[in-house]
Amino acid sequence: MQGTNRAVAILRHALHPTPANGRVFRPQKLWRFRCALSNPNAVNKSFESTTVADVLKSKGDVDPSLLWCRTDDTVYEAVKHMTENNVGSLAVVKPGLEKLVAGIITERDYLKKIIVQGRSSKTTKVEEIMTEENKLITVTSDSSILQAMRLMIANQIRHVPVVDGRIVGMISIVDVVRSVVEQQQEEMEHLNDLIRGKYY
């Protein structure tokens, strides 16, 4: 990953022995550092192992009903729901107890399909402006955070519903970036420990 490679490059530059600081590495430590950098895939393993479920857990307990609206709700009701719960999107579910996902509605849908077109949010149903199920991008709880990030980037979207048969959560690009940054910091600390001789 580019961010991880950049972090490794920073460590290499900062800790490489130079005449300016007179720092000298013991051969054993330098050998361990080179081994750590010789396999970039090893550096990225923790990114692959972090799952969407881990990210949802880090966000704390969230009532799933805060994350969805129904197809027959008005756009006004959906946007009010977003505003009250400080979220930028809602999964749209079909009427019924099963809470089957029918699509997604976002702030962008509201701006482009209601405000710009001069339509009334109080008379327009969510199903009229939502992104429908056949075009919906979703992940499951056991998807890796890297998979979620690649989906968001490839499809230029900022919110992805987490669906395990039914809606169980929602992750945003902010959640993904926060997780990646935390992972990068852990990798840098790990490499620093290797250089300082904490691992043998």
Side-chain angles (χ1 to χ4, degrees), residues 159-178:
H159 305 89
V160 176
V162 184
V163 180
D164 294 336
R166 64 177 63 188
I167 180 75
V168 297
M170 182 85 72
I171 61 171
S172 69
I173 191 65
V174 173
D175 299 324
V176 172
V177 169
R178 183 182 295 116

Side-chain angles (χ1 to χ4, degrees), residues 2 4 12 37 45 49 62-63 91 98 102 108 126 136 146 157 190 194:
Q2 185 177 358
T4 303
R12 183 189 290 115
L37 298 180
K45 281 185 178 179
S49 63
V62 178
D63 183 353
E98 296 84 0
R108 187 179 300 177
V126 167
L136 184 62
L146 275 185
I157 54 179
H190 174 66
L194 282 172

Side-chain angles (χ1 to χ4, degrees), residues 121-185:
S121 63
K122 292 188 175 183
T123 59
T124 304
K125 300 294 185 181
V126 167
E127 63 185 350
E128 297 178 49
I129 71 165
M130 69 182 187
T131 298
E132 296 180 349
E133 183 181 5
N134 60 350
K135 297 179 181 178
L136 184 62
I137 305 298
T138 66
V139 293
T140 60
S141 295
D142 58 1
S143 299
S144 76
I145 202 64
L146 275 185
Q147 290 173 322
M149 180 174 64
R150 288 166 181 157
L151 281 173
M152 289 182 175
I153 293 172
N155 293 281
Q156 298 182 4
I157 54 179
R158 295 177 295 169
H159 305 89
V160 176
V162 184
V163 180
D164 294 336
R166 64 177 63 188
I167 180 75
V168 297
M170 182 85 72
I171 61 171
S172 69
I173 191 65
V174 173
D175 299 324
V176 172
V177 169
R178 183 182 295 116
S179 177
V180 169
V181 168
E182 290 173 355
Q183 289 291 333
Q184 288 179 342
Q185 290 173 342

